[in-house]
Amino acid sequence: MQVLRRPVRRVSCRKGTAWVGGARTQPAPAVCYLSYAFLTCCYPMTLAMPLSLPALRHRLPLLLALGLSLTLSFALIAVRIVLTREPTFIFLLWNLFLAAIPFGLSAALHLAARPPGVRLLLPVGVVWLLFFPNAPYLVTDLFHLVPRPGVPYWYDLALIMSCAWNGLMLAYASLLDMHTLVRQRLGFWLGWVFATVALGLSAFGVYLGRFLRFNSWDIISNPFTLFYDILQRFLHPLHNRQAWGVTVVFWAFLLIGYATVRLLGQRKELGIEEQ
């Protein structure tokens, strides 16, 4: 059976341009709407909650470590721009910002003085899951590593690896928080089911972002196109081996990495109680 292929279509708006199924230039205005909804709905709900000072003190070393790591990435990008006078990797700043959103949400929930209710967990959880793939997605930015004039090859390697590391650490720290919230309410096994499914969906999201060039806000700006492409991957899996190959490999990589982080005792560093 022949698989219908969706033609590349350009979606132009007054303040931005997005490519559907091809390379993107500027984010579509829908990102503004999604960011506005996020800032006016989810973040105020989390920030309005009183914080637990003991939990905040326990979390402070992690926040400092992540802050230093992100600062290193910012500095490497800034120095490269100064040396080459070209904004080659400036897009990584935007990717890091997107990767930090799920961590900000989960950290706000975890630092609450009292356990958040279901009315708060559900909408924040949906937004968290929508943005969560942006964190491990940074690993795939290694695709951009090619020799370029102006800086040594090893410098670009260190720059991209720094951003990829931050993406993974933000992803795992965020998932640890959400995993704990689910486990406290639904039990040990359902907590692991949640973490496993979240990483699987994230791996599929990495495929959608890297190979089909979708973004988190496409669920609002291009929902039918997004649904069509996803449906094609499920209806014709044999014709979309790359989709499932990338998903399975990245899911296994992320799941093993997450289990390793837990076994290394990161729960104590994050202020999360032991099993």
Side-chain angles (χ1 to χ4, degrees), residues 18 31 51 103 121 137 155 167 185 190 197 209 218 230 246 267:
V31 68
L51 297 180
F103 175 73
L121 280 177
Y137 174 85
Y155 187 92
R185 286 160 176 77
L190 287 180
V197 172
D218 280 312
I230 293 175
V246 171
R267 288 172 293 178

Side-chain angles (χ1 to χ4, degrees), residues 22 51 57 146 161 220 225 264 269:
L51 297 180
R57 285 194 295 267
V146 294
M161 285 293 294
I220 293 178
T225 303
L264 287 174
E269 298 296 330

